[in-house]
Amino acid sequence: MFTFLKKQQSSKVIIAGESATLEVPRGKTMLEAMLADGLAMPHDCKVGSCGTCRFKLVEGKIGELSPSALVLERDALSQGYRLACQAMPRSDLVIALDAPLSRQQAVERFSATIVATPRLCPDIIQLVVELDRPIRFIPGQYADLTAPGIAEPRSYSFAFAPDRGEATRLEFHVRHVPGGLFTDWLFGEERTGGTLELSGPFGQFRLKDSAEAMLCLAGGSGLAPIMAILQHARSLGASRPVTLLYGARTQQHLYCLGEIEALRSAWNAPFEFIPVLSEEDERSGWTGARGLVTDPIARLAGLARTEAYLCGPPAMIDAAEAQLVQQGVLPELVAADRFLDKSTTR
Ligand SMILES: Cc1cc2nc3c(=O)[nH]c(=O)nc-3n(C[C@H](O)[C@H](O)[C@H](O)COP(=O)(O)OP(=O)(O)OC[C@H]3O[C@@H](n4cnc5c(N)ncnc54)[C@H](O)[C@@H]3O)c2cc1C
Ligand code: FES
């Protein structure tokens, strides 16, 4: 009887080439169990749309939250590839991965008290929370936040680089998405003193260990992980030339200008900041760039070895990636964090 119950409650997953066996509790996805166990399984969206978390099913049965066939090519599917963020074991499994996994900080759950929500610009607030204990994370990563009464968590990038890799007080930049469950709740009334559940850290977006020039491109609240990565690079004493392209609608929507200037003036190498406004009034006297944040890429030269860090709405990132590769940037040197939401994942 005991063995029967145990079988129902979790599945054992053998990962080819890994010494330890993974235990996946019933109701959890493969990705959730891997991250909770501290396995650095590559993933970006966690909602079955980027294809990053693929694994090969060698033996056993799974159920899927959404079909892998929506994302993976027919060839990959016929070889047995499936998505770890969508797969729930229905039996014990044997799986194989494209590359060996390293171990990372296991994902943990925290209680987060909202301590301040100052407005950064018309549609973005800084969400400041205090955790019940410190969290360790790598600048560029994100956390999942769950609000009372909203079943599914929403992802938000840490907006700063923590001292010595950990922090108890956290900052996020949250953009209001009208009609969005979490942000309507957050922007709807004063939430200071309220409590959120936080789990993390998640994500592979981070500073690469290199000395190459950096091209950072952000749209809206996509500035959050870019600021964290740049602060991290500065704390390491980086002397890499930086170009920061930042897209906003109008001058009012530009934020963190003081922090960017502080970074720029303390930087050990050339640092060019190019704000680009898409809806600025023609008569406003703005003399900076206008149009799409991707427009200036065509005028940038010598990009061959440049590392690109892109963050913001998926359509903006797709356009930037295509243009950068066309300009000679190596695809493997482009790192991107797409702020997917329900309108892009359903
Ligand atoms: C890795 C990652 C990091 C992120 N970091 C940040 C960050 O730092 N800052 C930030 O501001 N955002 C970030 N995001 C986006 C964030 O997670 C939320 O998706 C966003 O805030 C919207 O949440 P919401 O609950 O308000 O909207 P949702 O309720 O998720 O809805 C979003 C939009 O989709 C529409 N919608 C809802 N359901 C459907 C449906 N079934 N079909 C079509 N449309 C639908 C809604 O009307 C709304 O317009 C990140 C996303 C990811 C994946
Ligand atoms: S993390 Fe699974 S498809 Fe994106």
Side-chain angles (χ1 to χ4, degrees):
M1 179 65 176
F2 177 70
T3 323
F4 173 72
L5 268 181
K6 210 173 165 215
K7 254 190 198 167
Q8 295 293 302
Q9 285 167 354
S10 67
S11 302
K12 282 194 171 47
V13 178
I14 296 171
I15 306 174
E18 299 277 332
S19 50
T21 307
L22 179 73
E23 195 88 17
V24 184
R26 190 174 180 183
K28 293 283 173 198
T29 64
M30 296 273 292
L31 182 65
E32 284 169 334
M34 289 165 125
L35 297 177
D37 199 42
L39 291 170
M41 180 68 178
H43 65 281
D44 276 323
C45 68
K46 293 198 296 180
V47 289
S49 55
C50 70
T52 315
C53 65
R54 70 181 209 165
F55 69 97
K56 201 186 262 187
L57 183 59
V58 179
E59 233 178 273
K61 283 193 177 152
I62 57 162
E64 291 184 297
L65 296 175
S66 71
S68 298
L70 294 176
V71 171
L72 297 177
E73 304 278 332
R74 195 180 298 175
D75 255 13
L77 287 168
S78 62
Q79 289 171 45
Y81 281 104
R82 297 292 182 269
L83 298 174
C85 68
Q86 301 301 300
M88 289 181 166
R90 293 262 168 85
S91 69
D92 290 347
L93 307 178
V94 179
I95 66 165
L97 301 171
D98 291 341
L101 289 182
S102 57
R103 288 228 156 239
Q104 65 176 11
Q105 173 90 12
V107 170
E108 290 182 68
R109 289 182 186 282
F110 302 81
S111 170
T113 305
I114 301 175
V115 292
T117 55
R119 205 163 273 266
L120 295 171
C121 71
D123 59 351
I124 300 176
I125 59 162
Q126 182 186 41
L127 172 64
V128 186
V129 301
E130 188 82 23
L131 298 185
D132 50 354
R133 62 190 193 284
I135 181 172
R136 292 193 72 76
F137 65 90
I138 298 169
Q141 287 192 295
Y142 64 93
D144 276 356
L145 302 183
T146 308
I150 300 180
E152 286 178 46
R154 301 296 194 267
S155 306
Y156 295 96
S157 303
F158 299 103
F160 69 107
D163 283 344
R164 292 179 293 280
E166 67 172 35
T168 309
R169 183 167 284 229
L170 306 178
E171 293 165 25
F172 303 95
H173 298 166
V174 181
R175 186 176 69 84
H176 188 200
V177 179
L181 271 184
F182 182 90
T183 57
D184 272 357
W185 175 86
L186 186 61
F187 282 72
E189 57 185 85
E190 177 57 55
R191 297 292 178 192
T192 303
T195 308
L196 301 167
E197 275 176 37
L198 182 147
S199 62
F202 298 108
Q204 308 302 313
F205 193 56
R206 61 192 61 181
L207 184 70
K208 291 177 186 156
D209 184 12
S210 113
E212 303 296 350
M214 298 168 73
L215 173 64
C216 300
L217 184 146
S221 52
L223 192 58
I226 296 289
M227 289 301 287
I229 283 175
L230 287 172
Q231 286 173 8
H232 185 44
R234 187 188 57 187
S235 72
L236 296 174
S239 50
R240 311 166 60 172
V242 168
T243 305
L244 170 57
L245 292 170
Y246 179 49
R249 284 162 56 198
T250 69
Q251 286 189 71
Q252 280 190 318
H253 292 83
L254 291 171
Y255 74 95
C256 270
L257 295 181
E259 287 88 337
I260 293 171
E261 178 51 28
L263 265 174
R264 200 193 60 75
S265 57
W267 205 258
N268 291 326
F271 187 123
E272 190 180 8
F273 173 46
I274 309 177
V276 186
L277 303 182
S278 59
E279 294 175 21
E280 177 69 3
D281 190 325
E282 288 300 331
R283 296 154 301 175
S284 73
W286 170 255
T287 54
R290 292 172 184 264
L292 298 178
V293 64
T294 46
D295 291 346
I297 295 176
R299 298 192 289 278
L300 300 175
L303 292 178
R305 298 291 317 160
T306 297
E307 271 175 12
Y309 296 83
L310 320 175
C311 188
M316 181 207 82
I317 291 185
D318 293 345
E321 263 182 353
Q323 211 174 334
L324 286 167
V325 171
Q326 199 180 12
Q327 293 272 118
V329 176
L330 298 171
E332 60 269 30
L333 296 186
V334 180
D337 202 12
R338 289 173 170 75
F339 280 4
L340 297 153
D341 69 19
K342 290 278 181 285
S343 63
T344 40
T345 57
R346 291 284 156 92

